[in-house]
Amino acid sequence: MSAGFELILALAGFAAVAALPTIIIPLIIAPKRPSPVKMAPFECGQVPAGEGRVHFMMQYYAYLLMFVVFDVIAMFLYAWGVSSIGVGMPATLIIIAFMAIMFVPMGYALHLAARRDIW
Amino acid sequence: MPIENFEDFIKRVLEIVFWVLVFSPLVIFPLIFIVLPSMMGLIGIMIPGPIGVNDILAALADPLKSIPIMTEFMKTDFFKIAVFPGFTWAALIATGAILIERKLLAKMQLRVGPLYAGKFEGVLQPIADLLKLIAKEIIIPRRADKLAFWCIPFAAMAVGGALLAIVPVSKQWVVTNLDVGLVVAFAIMSFFPIIALVAGWASNSKYPFLGGLRALHQMVSYEIPLLLSALGVAVLAGSLNLVKIVETQSSIPFLLVQPLGAIVFFIALMAELERIPFDLPEAEPELVAGWMTEMSGMLFGVTQLAVYVKFYALAGLFTTLYLGGWYGPQILPPEMAEANAVIWFTVKTLAVMVLMMVPRGTMTRIRIDLMLKAGWGRLLFLAFVNIFIAIVVVQLGIVPR
């Protein structure tokens, strides 16, 4: 079977190009009356204050860190999942052991991530 | 000419149409006499098989002769990409989904417009929406990152479209039949948070920025349960090829074998699609419209259409993985098996979409820390339990492979 990945790119490109006229038509027919107030960032009617990209506490940063680890593990499990019949029961047992080992640090990481006072 | 009222707007539109009509012969005649003959060779390449250039020229004179050309054209990749399982079909379903959702919500919450606009059941409401969006000025915020801001609707459309390519509508009607289709689906899905984050960052405004960061947290957290609950299906089918996964379900849909995985997958899909109760990235009372706050006019319209195309594609993915895809009782004559398959896929996908719309009218929004805890602490473990169920089912040999 040929790869066929290029068709995904083709459909993505077609969708993007198909969206182009819908943006161009308003540029032609819609009124253009820019004003400083209109171009200001939207803050519910108040005068925008300070920077748009504000600094604030990433209270839930721990979940992002966990994602980096567990996304890789999930894809690793896929490699096993598809071939689970071919490689037989021993491999399945090893994977179950692997998951059992994984649960302990995962529980600890979840416990730490839920403690918002340390982040 | 400034546009002050609706009359001016109509005048402006008619004026543009007039000038287009005046100058169109200058474009069309060279096209017919110079470009078209050279294009014929190109069309001949695009449509392989017995159809030649002369057949196309004959079809221009006699419409009846165009039927074999159309049937040949329907076999090409271009038709699949542009029309049927691809973009146009999905955009139509997305528009229909917007109408259905508005009507459903209007019925639930007694809103007037979507119920009565147009003579019959508010069918004119999407057209009114489209006209309104097209007539609106496109405003780019002053301190925005202009290039990134302009790119977001197209990027959103591209990602939604890419997802369409791998969802099989029937055995024949799939744009690309990949051996690793399920993994490709998740690979494309991992672009969603990037687009939301870039949209928030490029707007350089507080609400979109907060919305983008929330979208990042939410989509990232629910991607793991999504991946792991779909792993159960991969274990049962022994394949990542979406067409093969559907063919494994010819006797029994995986919803009955893997109810837990289906529930986890469904909830995680709702979170990936930012639908209520997981619409934290665009929570209206807190963040106006989340990462789409600064988008105006058709920029917003295209992004919203992309969201609904994504909605259709992911509902189609749920149908493919758990509801047995295109399989269903034969309701049409036996020679129309393909049409039957397409109808069943569409009906199932629309049912899934309606099921995802109902919470929007009935549920409240979940708090962000509870959402993250539910995703990591509950759904993730349920997904692991589901994998063990799948292993047991495979070892007992319940599902035929």
Side-chain angles (χ1 to χ4, degrees), chain B residues 232-269:
Chain B
V233 171
V235 169
L236 286 183
S239 170
L240 295 175
N241 187 325
L242 291 173
V243 173
K244 274 188 194 148
I245 286 176
V246 176
E247 280 174 346
T248 329
Q249 304 175 57
S250 58
S251 56
I252 178 167
F254 283 156
L255 179 68
L256 301 177
V257 188
Q258 294 249 293
L260 192 61
I263 291 167
V264 172
F265 193 82
F266 188 81
I267 295 173
L269 267 194

Coordinates of all heavy atoms in Angstrom, one line a residue, chain B residues 232-269:
Chain B
G232 N -7.9 0.6 23.6 CA -8.7 -0.6 23.8 C -9.2 -1.1 22.4 O -9.2 -2.3 22.1
V233 N -9.7 -0.2 21.6 CA -10.2 -0.6 20.3 C -9.0 -1.1 19.4 O -9.2 -2.1 18.7 CB -10.8 0.7 19.6 CG1 -11.1 0.4 18.1 CG2 -12.0 1.1 20.3
A234 N -7.9 -0.5 19.5 CA -6.7 -1.0 18.7 C -6.4 -2.4 19.1 O -6.0 -3.2 18.3 CB -5.6 0.0 18.9
V235 N -6.4 -2.7 20.4 CA -6.1 -4.0 20.9 C -7.1 -5.0 20.4 O -6.8 -6.1 19.9 CB -6.1 -4.0 22.5 CG1 -6.0 -5.5 22.9 CG2 -4.9 -3.3 23.0
L236 N -8.4 -4.7 20.4 CA -9.4 -5.6 19.9 C -9.3 -5.8 18.4 O -9.4 -7.0 18.0 CB -10.8 -5.0 20.3 CG -11.3 -5.1 21.7 CD1 -12.7 -4.5 21.8 CD2 -11.2 -6.5 22.2
A237 N -9.1 -4.7 17.7 CA -9.1 -4.9 16.2 C -7.7 -5.4 15.8 O -7.6 -5.9 14.6 CB -9.4 -3.6 15.6
G238 N -6.7 -5.2 16.6 CA -5.3 -5.6 16.1 C -4.8 -4.8 15.0 O -4.0 -5.3 14.2
S239 N -5.3 -3.6 14.8 CA -4.9 -2.8 13.7 C -5.1 -1.3 14.1 O -6.0 -1.0 14.9 CB -5.6 -3.2 12.5 OG -5.4 -2.2 11.5
L240 N -4.3 -0.4 13.4 CA -4.6 1.0 13.6 C -5.3 1.6 12.3 O -5.5 2.7 12.3 CB -3.3 1.7 13.8 CG -2.5 1.4 15.1 CD1 -1.2 2.1 15.2 CD2 -3.4 1.8 16.3
N241 N -5.5 0.7 11.4 CA -6.1 1.1 10.1 C -7.6 1.3 10.4 O -8.3 0.4 10.8 CB -5.9 0.0 9.1 CG -6.4 0.5 7.7 OD1 -7.4 1.1 7.6 ND2 -5.7 0.1 6.7
L242 N -8.2 2.5 10.2 CA -9.5 2.8 10.6 C -10.5 2.0 9.8 O -11.6 1.6 10.3 CB -9.8 4.3 10.4 CG -9.1 5.2 11.4 CD1 -9.3 6.6 11.0 CD2 -9.6 4.9 12.8
V243 N -10.2 1.7 8.5 CA -11.1 0.9 7.7 C -11.2 -0.6 8.3 O -12.2 -1.2 8.4 CB -10.7 0.9 6.2 CG1 -11.5 -0.1 5.4 CG2 -10.8 2.3 5.6
K244 N -10.0 -1.1 8.7 CA -10.0 -2.4 9.2 C -10.7 -2.5 10.6 O -11.4 -3.4 10.9 CB -8.5 -2.9 9.4 CG -8.0 -3.5 8.1 CD -6.6 -4.1 8.4 CE -6.0 -4.5 7.1 NZ -4.5 -4.3 7.1
I245 N -10.5 -1.4 11.3 CA -11.2 -1.3 12.6 C -12.7 -1.4 12.4 O -13.4 -2.1 13.1 CB -10.9 0.0 13.4 CG1 -9.4 -0.1 13.9 CG2 -11.8 0.2 14.5 CD1 -8.9 1.1 14.6
V246 N -13.3 -0.7 11.4 CA -14.7 -0.8 11.1 C -15.1 -2.2 10.7 O -16.1 -2.7 11.1 CB -15.1 0.3 10.1 CG1 -16.6 0.1 9.8 CG2 -14.8 1.7 10.6
E247 N -14.2 -2.8 9.8 CA -14.6 -4.1 9.3 C -14.6 -5.2 10.4 O -15.3 -6.1 10.4 CB -13.5 -4.5 8.2 CG -13.9 -3.9 6.9 CD -12.8 -4.1 5.9 OE1 -11.7 -4.6 6.2 OE2 -13.1 -3.8 4.7
T248 N -13.8 -5.0 11.5 CA -13.8 -5.9 12.6 C -15.2 -5.8 13.3 O -15.6 -6.8 14.0 CB -12.7 -5.5 13.6 OG1 -11.6 -5.0 12.9 CG2 -12.3 -6.7 14.4
Q249 N -15.8 -4.6 13.2 CA -17.1 -4.5 13.9 C -18.3 -4.9 13.1 O -19.4 -4.5 13.4 CB -17.3 -3.0 14.3 CG -16.1 -2.5 15.1 CD -16.3 -1.0 15.4 OE1 -17.3 -0.6 15.9 NE2 -15.3 -0.2 15.0
S250 N -18.1 -5.7 12.0 CA -19.2 -6.0 11.2 C -20.3 -6.8 11.9 O -21.5 -6.7 11.6 CB -18.7 -6.8 10.0 OG -18.0 -8.0 10.4
S251 N -19.9 -7.6 12.9 CA -20.9 -8.4 13.6 C -21.3 -7.7 14.9 O -22.5 -7.7 15.2 CB -20.3 -9.8 14.0 OG -19.1 -9.6 14.7
I252 N -20.4 -7.0 15.6 CA -20.8 -6.4 16.9 C -20.0 -5.1 17.0 O -18.8 -5.1 16.9 CB -20.5 -7.4 18.1 CG1 -20.9 -6.7 19.4 CG2 -19.1 -7.9 18.1 CD1 -21.0 -7.6 20.5
P253 N -20.7 -4.0 17.2 CA -20.0 -2.7 17.4 C -19.2 -2.7 18.7 O -19.7 -3.3 19.7 CB -21.1 -1.6 17.4 CG -22.3 -2.4 17.7 CD -22.1 -3.8 17.2
F254 N -18.1 -2.0 18.8 CA -17.2 -2.0 19.9 C -17.9 -1.3 21.1 O -17.4 -1.4 22.2 CB -15.9 -1.4 19.6 CG -15.0 -2.4 18.9 CD1 -14.0 -1.9 18.1 CD2 -15.2 -3.7 19.0 CE1 -13.1 -2.7 17.4 CE2 -14.3 -4.6 18.3 CZ -13.3 -4.1 17.5
L255 N -18.9 -0.6 20.9 CA -19.6 0.1 22.0 C -20.1 -0.9 23.0 O -20.1 -0.7 24.2 CB -20.8 0.9 21.4 CG -21.6 1.7 22.5 CD1 -20.8 2.8 23.1 CD2 -22.9 2.2 21.9
L256 N -20.6 -2.1 22.5 CA -21.1 -3.1 23.4 C -20.0 -3.9 24.1 O -20.2 -4.4 25.2 CB -22.0 -4.1 22.6 CG -23.2 -3.4 21.9 CD1 -23.9 -4.4 21.1 CD2 -24.1 -2.7 22.9
V257 N -18.8 -4.0 23.4 CA -17.7 -4.7 24.0 C -16.9 -3.8 25.0 O -16.4 -4.2 26.0 CB -16.8 -5.2 22.9 CG1 -15.7 -6.1 23.5 CG2 -17.6 -5.9 21.9
Q258 N -16.8 -2.5 24.6 CA -16.0 -1.5 25.3 C -16.8 -0.4 25.8 O -16.5 0.8 25.5 CB -14.9 -1.0 24.4 CG -13.9 -2.1 24.0 CD -12.6 -1.8 24.7 OE1 -11.9 -0.8 24.4 NE2 -12.2 -2.6 25.6
P259 N -17.9 -0.6 26.6 CA -18.7 0.6 27.0 C -17.9 1.6 27.8 O -18.1 2.8 27.6 CB -19.8 0.0 27.8 CG -19.3 -1.4 28.2 CD -18.4 -1.8 27.2
L260 N -17.0 1.1 28.7 CA -16.3 2.1 29.5 C -15.3 2.9 28.6 O -15.3 4.2 28.8 CB -15.4 1.2 30.5 CG -14.8 2.0 31.6 CD1 -15.8 2.7 32.5 CD2 -13.9 1.1 32.5
G261 N -14.7 2.3 27.7 CA -13.8 3.1 26.8 C -14.6 4.1 26.0 O -14.1 5.2 25.8
A262 N -15.8 3.7 25.5 CA -16.6 4.6 24.7 C -17.0 5.8 25.5 O -16.9 6.9 25.1 CB -17.8 3.8 24.2
I263 N -17.3 5.6 26.8 CA -17.7 6.7 27.7 C -16.5 7.7 27.9 O -16.6 8.9 27.7 CB -18.3 6.2 29.0 CG1 -19.6 5.5 28.8 CG2 -18.5 7.3 30.0 CD1 -20.1 4.7 29.9
V264 N -15.4 7.1 28.2 CA -14.2 7.9 28.4 C -13.8 8.7 27.2 O -13.5 9.9 27.2 CB -13.0 7.0 28.9 CG1 -11.7 7.8 28.9 CG2 -13.3 6.4 30.2
F265 N -13.9 8.0 26.0 CA -13.5 8.6 24.7 C -14.5 9.7 24.4 O -14.1 10.8 24.0 CB -13.6 7.6 23.6 CG -13.0 8.0 22.3 CD1 -11.6 7.9 22.1 CD2 -13.8 8.5 21.3 CE1 -11.1 8.3 20.9 CE2 -13.2 8.9 20.1 CZ -11.9 8.8 19.9
F266 N -15.8 9.5 24.7 CA -16.8 10.5 24.4 C -16.5 11.8 25.3 O -16.5 12.9 24.8 CB -18.2 9.9 24.7 CG -19.3 10.8 24.3 CD1 -19.7 10.8 23.0 CD2 -20.0 11.6 25.3 CE1 -20.8 11.6 22.6 CE2 -21.0 12.4 24.9 CZ -21.4 12.4 23.5
I267 N -16.3 11.6 26.6 CA -16.1 12.8 27.5 C -14.8 13.5 27.0 O -14.8 14.7 27.0 CB -16.0 12.3 28.9 CG1 -17.3 11.7 29.4 CG2 -15.6 13.4 29.8 CD1 -17.3 11.1 30.7
A268 N -13.7 12.7 26.7 CA -12.5 13.4 26.3 C -12.7 14.1 25.0 O -12.1 15.2 24.8 CB -11.4 12.3 26.2
L269 N -13.5 13.6 24.1 CA -13.8 14.3 22.8 C -14.5 15.6 23.1 O -14.2 16.6 22.5 CB -14.7 13.4 22.0 CG -14.1 12.5 20.9 CD1 -15.2 12.1 20.0 CD2 -13.0 13.2 20.2

